[in-house]
């Protein structure tokens, strides 16, 4: 089986490449990534010499490049993680989100039509469902919840999902979609909440928290997410959407305080900053379909997952310090020249 994983130099894609390369030595895993600011080949160091792994630099929205690659590699499965993924950046530059998240997806789908594949899997987000009120803890997102996006990021992801489903209906493309909640774990870019708080708290720097910190997120350990996608590409039904969530709802403030306690740092480091425009209040996933149909179960609770994650950041300071000081961008040139 030959799998192209797009966005495999990013956070979740990188973890997924590790998972697949290690678990399936007889598969060929091709990591296709443009290496934007969020792409970091240092994440792939532990697998880069494995015979079943290969890296290709390229843009999923570059039609000629994608068609040439499909013709050459004849992949069986595509797992599309590549995306502009940071909500704050989508507020300042929405167009790059349309290009990568929407046009990149349709380019990949067209290549799948042209060359034929066994499965196209789209990695999506629970943010396509919008948000839930804070005073209705009984409400959860199911796969039937209507799309109701808040940010340019989630709008671009919802558009991509609609194209994926339409290719299944119109052309019979064998697709699946997963929509997950907030991921955390190793190799997370330090602009995101959990690694930002860990790295700044370790340096005794102020910890920015939006608004009053009451927004609720449903945290999913990235290893549990990778297991879910592995199951869906092998056993999920074509044309179906699967929600992936860890049943681990926490307010942002609870997350920050948990990290401070684990690191033995004072809460006085917390600094409340003005809220993000359109900031979603609560996300909460109902993963029942994935659990009952495919037997998925998360291994981590938030408590065990955050402990593992903090330990990983303590053990891998070089990785995140290279990002903070910009050195990670030299890694590709040093490793691969201008290939
Ligand atoms: P990330 O920003 O860490 O990684 C994205 C990767 O895509 C980077 O390596 C980047 O270089 C690459 N990329 C960007 N534009 C590209 C292009 N045009 N062509 C090829 N590669 C390109 O993102 P992430 O947090 O790992 O998220 C991965 C996927 O999961 C995204 O589709 C995102 O929408 C989705 N998702 C993430 C979360 C989360 O909590 N991180 C939650 C729900 C859904």
């Amino acid at each position: 089986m030959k799998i192209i994983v797009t966005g495999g130099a990013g956070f979740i894609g990188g973890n997924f490449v590790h998972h697949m390369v290690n678990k399936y030595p007889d598969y060929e895993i091709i990591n296709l990534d443009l290496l934007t600011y969020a792409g970091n080949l240092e994440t792939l160091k532990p697998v880069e010499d494995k015979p079943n792994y290969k890296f290709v630099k390229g843009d999923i929205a570059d039609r000629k490049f994608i068609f040439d690659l499909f013709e050459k590699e004849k992949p069986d499965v595509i797992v599309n993680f590549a995306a502009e993924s940071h909500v704050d950046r989508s507020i300042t530059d929405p167009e790059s989100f349309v290009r990568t998240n929407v046009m990149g997806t349709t380019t990949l789908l067209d290549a799948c039509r042209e060359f034929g594949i066994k499965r196209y899997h789209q990695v999506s987000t629970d943010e396509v469902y919008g948000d839930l009120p804070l005073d209705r803890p009984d409400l959860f997102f199911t796969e039937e919840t209507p799309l109701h996006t808040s940010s340019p990021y989630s709008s671009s992801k919802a558009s991509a999902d609609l194209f994926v489903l339409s290719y299944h209906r119109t052309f019979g493309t064998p697709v699946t979609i997963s929509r997950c909640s907030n991921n955390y774990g190793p190799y997370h870019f330090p602009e995101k909440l959990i690694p930002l708080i860990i790295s700044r708290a370790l340096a005794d720097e102020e910890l920015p928290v939006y608004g009053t910190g009451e927004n609720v997120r449903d945290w999913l350990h990235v290893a549990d997410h990778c297991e879910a996608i592995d199951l869906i590409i092998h056993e999920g039904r074509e044309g179906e959407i699967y929600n992936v969530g860890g049943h681990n709802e926490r307010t942002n403030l609870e997350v920050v305080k948990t990290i401070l306690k684990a690191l033995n740092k004072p809460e006085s480091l917390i600094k409340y900053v003005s809220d993000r425009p359109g900031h979603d209040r609560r996300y909460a996933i109902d993963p029942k379909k994935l659990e009952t149909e495919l037997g998925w179960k998360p291994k981590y609770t938030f408590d065990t997952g955050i402990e593992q994650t903090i330990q990983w950041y303590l053990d891998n300071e070089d990785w995140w310090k290279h990002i903070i000081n910009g050195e990670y961008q030299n890694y590709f040139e040093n490793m691969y020249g201008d290939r």
Side-chain angles (χ1 to χ4, degrees):
M1 175 110 89
K2 193 183 270 193
I3 304 185
I4 295 183
V5 177
T6 74
F11 163 47
I12 310 175
N15 277 278
F16 185 71
V17 168
H18 282 236
H19 171 90
M20 297 301 283
V21 165
N22 292 322
K23 183 167 171 190
Y24 300 103
D26 53 331
Y27 286 14
E28 280 178 75
I29 308 297
I30 300 174
N31 173 7
L32 160 61
D33 198 294
L34 184 57
L35 299 181
T36 67
Y37 79 95
N40 180 4
L41 282 183
E42 286 191 58
T43 298
L44 284 316
K45 257 186 188 171
V47 295
E48 69 190 7
D49 294 327
K50 303 249 176 170
N52 61 339
Y53 170 76
K54 179 159 100 181
F55 174 71
V56 178
K57 182 173 189 266
D59 181 352
I60 59 164
D62 178 340
R63 190 162 283 263
K64 172 154 178 21
F65 165 78
I66 290 294
F67 274 57
D68 287 349
L69 182 73
F70 273 59
E71 186 161 32
K72 178 170 167 239
E73 298 289 353
K74 305 200 169 30
D76 300 298
V77 174
I78 312 301
V79 183
N80 182 25
F81 291 93
E84 288 294 340
S85 70
H86 195 36
V87 176
D88 289 345
R89 289 177 191 254
S90 81
I91 294 167
T92 51
D93 177 23
E95 209 169 307
S96 60
F97 285 67
V98 176
R99 187 178 181 281
T100 290
N101 299 1
V102 184
M103 294 172 67
T105 299
T106 55
T107 303
L108 290 170
L109 288 166
D110 282 339
C112 291
R113 278 178 65 202
E114 178 77 17
F115 296 99
I117 35 108
K118 293 198 180 94
R119 178 60 61 87
Y120 174 91
H121 183 75
Q122 178 75 359
V123 180
S124 186
T125 168
D126 62 357
E127 295 191 33
V128 299
Y129 301 124
D131 62 351
L132 295 164
L134 291 173
D135 58 359
R136 289 291 308 275
D138 55 315
L139 296 181
F140 293 90
F141 299 131
T142 73
E143 290 79 1
E144 275 73 49
T145 301
L147 301 182
H148 190 259
T149 59
S150 312
S151 68
Y153 164 68
S154 52
S155 303
S156 69
K157 293 295 288 185
S159 310
D161 285 8
L162 292 175
F163 275 104
V164 172
L165 294 172
S166 76
Y167 272 59
H168 176 66
R169 171 100 189 234
T170 308
F171 307 113
T173 311
V175 305
T176 39
I177 296 177
S178 52
R179 291 180 177 152
C180 66
S181 52
N182 277 46
N183 281 224
Y184 68 103
Y187 301 112
H188 204 178
F189 200 79
E191 71 182 352
K192 303 290 172 94
L193 180 71
I194 288 181
L196 180 85
I197 298 300
I198 297 172
S199 56
R200 291 183 70 89
L202 285 172
D204 294 309
E205 288 169 352
E206 273 182 353
L207 310 177
V209 172
Y210 280 126
T212 53
E214 278 160 11
N215 304 62
V216 173
R217 299 293 178 262
D218 184 359
W219 292 96
L220 172 68
H221 193 282
V222 65
D224 287 324
H225 187 195
C226 292
E227 276 292 346
I229 295 174
D230 179 355
L231 264 178
I232 295 168
I233 60 175
H234 287 98
E235 294 173 35
R237 285 183 294 135
E238 280 178 23
E240 293 293 315
I241 299 166
Y242 294 91
N243 281 352
V244 194
H247 281 307
N248 283 306
E249 288 182 49
R250 294 287 185 286
T251 67
N252 287 346
L253 197 56
E254 280 171 332
V255 170
V256 175
K257 287 185 176 175
T258 306
I259 296 170
L260 285 173
K261 196 163 167 225
L263 292 175
N264 212 8
K265 297 284 182 182
E267 289 184 10
S268 55
L269 289 176
I270 296 172
K271 181 171 185 256
Y272 296 96
V273 297
S274 47
D275 213 349
R276 164 195 285 164
H279 203 177
D280 284 340
R281 293 161 296 178
R282 171 176 170 255
Y283 304 135
I285 279 260
D286 178 356
K288 212 177 293 133
K289 179 173 170 184
L290 183 65
E291 289 172 346
T292 51
E293 249 186 50
L294 303 184
W296 177 82
K297 248 201 210 99
K299 280 198 201 87
Y300 287 99
T301 63
F302 188 70
D303 291 339
T304 57
I306 199 75
E307 195 185 312
Q308 184 266 3
T309 302
I310 290 172
Q311 194 56 49
W312 189 89
Y313 279 86
L314 291 171
D315 294 342
N316 292 276
E317 275 202 5
D318 277 357
W319 181 88
W320 54 268
K321 285 200 169 155
H322 284 180
I323 295 183
I324 289 172
N325 65 26
E327 268 178 50
Y328 76 104
Q329 280 152 339
N330 300 328
Y331 185 76
F332 177 72
E333 276 101 77
N334 293 341
M335 280 298 291
Y336 295 91
D338 57 1
R339 191 170 66 157

